[in-house]
Amino acid sequence: MKHYLSSVEDTFNEVRSTDDGLSSAEAKKRLEENGKNKLDEGKKESLIVRFLKQFADPMIIILLVAAGISAVTSVFNNEFPSDVIIILFVVIVNATLGVYQENKAEKAIEALQEMSAATSKVLRDGRLVHVKSEELVVGDVIILEAGDAVPADARVFESASLKIEEAALTGESVPVDKFIEIINLGEAKDVPLGDRKNMTYMGSSVVYGRGKAVVTATGMDTEMGKIAGALAQAEDGQTPLQKKLAGLSKVLSFAVIGICIFIFAFGIVRNIVTGQPVNFEFVLNTFMIAVSLAVAAIPEGLVAVVTIVLSIGVTTMSKRNAIIRRLTAVETLGCAQIICSDKTGTLTQNKMTVVDSYTDDGELLAKGMALCTDVSVDADGNVEGEPTEAALVAYALSKGLNKNDLEKEMPRVAEAPFDSMRKMMTTFHKTSDGVLQFTKGAPDVVLGRCTKILKDGQVRDITAEDRKAIISANKAFADRALRVLALSYNRFDSVPEFKAPEDVEYSLIFCGLVGMIDPVRPEVKDSIVECRQAGIRPIMITGDHKDTAVAIAMELGIIHNPDEAITGAELDEISDEEFETAVEKFSVYARVQPEHKTRIVNAWRKRGMITAMTGDGVNDAPSIKSADIGVGMGITGTDVTKNVADMVLADDNFATIVSAIEEGRRIYDNIKKAIQFLLGSNMSEVLSIFFANIFGFIILEPTHLLWINLVTDCFPALALAMEKGESDLMKRAPRKSTDGIFAGGVGIDVIYQGFLVTVLTVTAYVLGVMMAAGRVMNLLDVFAVNDAADTLFLHQNGMTMAFLTMSMCEIFHSLNMRSQRGSIVKMILKGNHNKYLALATLGSLVLTTAVIYIPFLAKAFDFAAIDIKEYATALGLAFMIIPLVEIIKACQRAIAKKKTKKA
């Protein structure tokens, strides 16, 4: 039953109650049958379960496989499993961070529960009693007064100027006047939540007046309960980076398995074909070569690098008032294509403000408006009370008129309180020459009670032309979506006697009009412009009226035509299939309900658009959770919204989103550079091992590869994360969610750069063997050595030079990675330096040198002490990667420029 479309009598019959409420026995019976008036708690997983679920990530599984393989290697070689310990440490830290970031849905439900009133005033057995709100049942009669939290959904059947703040549910900043009459549907099929003025809802609060209502829904059946249910059902989708890393993990998994099988089979087949023995020792050696390739193919440092890079981004963003609750949200925001923003409190200040007036006496208008209110000004000058009246008092303050001082000068001696039926309020104030009456209210009603007007400092009879001018001014204000109030006054020698407001609200003198609105945040307009320059489309979603929404949106530049706006009721007339096609037509949604917001977000997501949702009210929570990234407001935002959000704006500043987007783009660019660098390094390792195996020698051992992957490569990769954003960062369109890690030529770059490093590394090995033998001109003699000791020495020397070349080649190559196509030489000449990368280069050189020359480390790694000439040769080969890549980049730029000219 839709109680807002039913009479009070029909509602009482439906819930089997009366205006005296239920008996205690009946209430107890219903409580046992239907349960408590509280929201369901989400199912909570134990800490150990949440921890173990972190290991389901494909990249983590690959790391665990690498640890297993490394453990096998250590057992066969009788070595300390240091590499296993390092990998397990990385995995455990990652899992711990993941658990720390979880449980948003449970916290949201808890916050929703806390929003409900603790106790309520209820009629039981015909008497007023206080009961726990969770013990309310359908049919209970609740008493509502200013300051009360509404404990359940209920039908109003008695209202004395009852006003309820519903912004958290509807997004509308102005409190709603409540009445008892049936709502007239007209041609509409249903009534939006914000227009159900004969209903009260759990989670809202009474700001003025008093009333009685009969409970029609409790717990999960309330509108708040529906939101809680939507939160529980909404699933956290994977971010673009998570999807790409998951895809990369699968590719690497198949690659590792394929490489191991191929190398193992190739070695056995080769020996069978050549007639060489296939014994246990040979099988073990072949297996270890396969293990080397597997270790080489796995970027062990990738997960750690990505996690640390995102963590650094979180710290940077927090300094800009953007608090990140989920690490991967950093890069997701960077690729946002749609930002769906709530209006109230996000684009606007959530503070009604007088922005215009129409009067002949501004001081009298401000005085009258301030005195004819029930709000107060505290010692610090803060205005407290109902938002509309607070705006009037603040308006007077802006003109140097403090209500407290005015009341001392002209104390109130009588009043006719505001009534939603007559739409006016009247107060009487004692002055030095009598009594002054102020009457404020709806312009059409007040004007109808006026017979005179204050004009040019004189009071005279009001004319038809005067009325026409006032009506025209009122329309001009209304066209700007301003809420308009009129003020009139009268003078008496003493307080007039009256039994009803009508006895004094006539023959009034018209004073003027004020227009107020919830104004836009001053910084938002520039932020919208920046969003558009960055290829991001802003969408306004609000529970406010369409006219107001359109006016604000046009002022901000979100829309340029009112046809781009649609209401929730109109949206209900469109099927999901039609809406997915038509969603691009609309940028403003007015009078929407929570399910509409989620539907809008999902429609954009189905079109493949990365969607962000910002907001502060409870009504925003489901759509925030459904969006690719949810942005909550830290100051005005409810706990529900903050707990569901991926990012919280500490200053509630929409402009902070723009800086967060810029930081997100920079971080993603740098993560992509780090991934390209790491994969290119792994590619060179795989190719080096592969070709060395083809020609029958071992160029590097598994321990060497783990050192390169976890020590040598990680520092430059982290340093790349500190790279400054490129100049066109906020001028380019958002990257597509379908773009993989290898998009934009990255895959080709990884292959050719990996191949270059391989050539340099294999060359270093061959030169190392030749230089150690002292027979640079007779390569054949080198491979003709039969003495086992000499062979081992030559091999160790070549392997040491190959290790040094590969390690430093990758370090030098990290300089190339500062820009995918830009020249590193030009960047340095222009003073664009990365001190972190310089330190990483120096640090890696020191560590690599230490491994080669410190005796116990060299012994552990099977290295030879190469001389200065060999050391310089290896470094020289490594440095060659910079000019080689610079030449190829120059060619790539020339080709791209040629294609641009043709286009």
Side-chain angles (χ1 to χ4, degrees), residues 416 426 428 437 439 490 492 496-498 500-508:
T426 295
F428 296 89
Q437 171 190 346
T439 297
N490 212 341
F492 301 91
E497 294 184 6
F498 62 97
E502 291 80 9
D503 297 339
V504 288
E505 291 174 344
Y506 70 96
S507 297
L508 303 174

Side-chain angles (χ1 to χ4, degrees), residues 1-37:
M1 182 178 184
K2 295 180 178 178
H3 301 286
Y4 48 89
L5 300 178
S6 304
S7 66
V8 171
E9 292 75 15
D10 289 343
T11 300
F12 272 121
N13 290 334
E14 173 70 20
V15 299
R16 294 178 287 121
S17 184
T18 67
D19 55 5
D20 288 329
L22 301 171
S23 66
S24 297
E26 179 64 21
K28 183 179 179 181
K29 178 184 175 185
R30 294 189 184 189
L31 184 63
E32 292 173 350
E33 291 176 351
N34 303 317
K36 291 186 176 182
N37 176 37

